[in-house]
Amino acid sequence: MPHLIHELVSDRIQTLHKEAAEQRVILRAQRLHRARRDVRRANERLRKVLSREF
């Protein structure tokens, strides 16, 4: 019985590690998406300012 409990605990730990890794990937993807959006917005603002100057 202790072996079964140890195995269940190990499986749960592995699952938690896998879920944490997946969450890190999702968070990185969200940050990348946000950064790209911010760059697009900044480029649009810059383009507008430059078009007013000339």
Side-chain angles (χ1 to χ4, degrees):
M1 192 65 151
H3 178 69
L4 179 61
I5 292 172
H6 178 71
E7 196 172 315
L8 288 172
V9 169
S10 293
D11 286 348
R12 182 64 180 139
I13 290 170
Q14 285 180 339
T15 300
L16 290 171
H17 282 294
K18 182 180 176 188
E19 289 173 358
E22 290 169 354
Q23 286 301 314
R24 285 191 297 273
V25 169
I26 290 168
L27 185 59
R28 271 187 240 127
Q30 289 172 338
R31 286 179 180 158
L32 180 60
H33 176 75
R34 213 173 301 130
R36 286 179 173 162
R37 184 195 63 213
D38 291 347
V39 167
R40 277 195 307 272
R41 288 178 177 172
N43 284 335
E44 289 171 18
R45 287 192 305 269
L46 180 60
R47 206 172 8 257
K48 287 178 184 178
V49 168
L50 290 175
S51 68
R52 285 186 219 134
E53 293 292 320
F54 297 105

